[in-house]
Amino acid sequence: MRGQWAETIMGFLVLAVAGAFLIYALTVGGGGVAPGAYEVTARFGEVGSLEPGAAVTVAGVKVGTVSKVSLEPDTYLARVAMALEPGIRLPADSTAKITSDSLLGGVHVAIGAGGAPEDLKAGGEIENTQGAVDLLGLIGQVVRPQPEPPAAESQ
C-alpha cells in the first residue's frame, strides 16, 4: 500500500514539473503573437529554413514573429507574413533580410528601418528584401572551385 502511494505522488510530481516547464517555455520563448499585433508581408527569392514562429528583429531586438511562409505560384517567390508588436512602427521604405542565427542553423527575419516619413500600414508589404544565403554552398564553392570552361579560340 505504501509503494502505491509513493508511485502516485511521484506521478503527480512529474506531471506538475512538466506543466511548469511548458508554461515557462511558452512565456520565455515567446510562443505566441502579442495581442493587437499587426501583419506585414515580404517576398523573398530564397527563405532557407525559415518557418512560422521564427523571430522578426529590428536592430537585434525581437519585435514580432513569422506567422506564415507560402509560395506564390505565379512568381515562384516565397511570401512571408510577419506579425509585429502593436507598438512597433516601421517606416514604409524599411528593408527585410533573412539572416542566420548562427553557423549551426536557425534563421530569422532582420528588418532595417528606413527613413520615410510615412509608416508601413497593417497588411502592407516590405518591398526591398534580401533572401537567405546558403553558407554551406558558399563554403563548398571555395573548397572545391568549379573548373572554368575552355576559352573559345579566336581566329
Side-chain angles (χ1 to χ4, degrees):
M1 183 76 172
R2 185 175 267 204
Q4 265 185 329
W5 180 249
E7 287 176 11
T8 303
I9 291 176
M10 284 300 283
F12 283 126
L13 184 60
V14 168
L15 288 175
V17 169
F21 179 73
L22 178 65
I23 291 169
Y24 173 78
L26 290 176
T27 56
V28 172
V33 176
Y38 68 101
E39 193 167 273
V40 297
T41 60
R43 288 184 275 179
F44 297 93
E46 175 65 46
V47 293
S49 61
L50 186 72
E51 294 182 359
V56 177
T57 63
V58 174
V61 177
K62 184 177 177 184
V63 297
T65 58
V66 172
S67 55
K68 184 178 181 184
V69 179
S70 59
L71 179 68
E72 292 185 339
D74 52 340
T75 63
Y76 296 103
L77 292 175
R79 181 178 206 80
V80 176
M82 298 166 277
L84 303 178
E85 294 175 4
I88 302 300
R89 297 289 170 229
L90 297 172
D93 63 343
S94 295
T95 62
K97 70 177 180 175
I98 298 175
T99 185
S100 297
D101 294 335
S102 69
L103 289 175
L104 299 176
V107 293
H108 69 277
V109 178
I111 296 178
E118 61 275 351
D119 289 337
L120 190 61
K121 305 287 185 228
E125 182 174 340
I126 298 174
E127 300 288 334
N128 189 3
T129 63
Q130 178 183 340
V133 176
D134 179 17
L135 291 176
L136 293 177
L138 289 175
I139 292 169
Q141 287 178 352
V142 171
V143 172
R144 264 188 301 184
Q146 298 295 321
E148 293 189 26
E153 293 181 25
S154 60
Q155 297 190 21

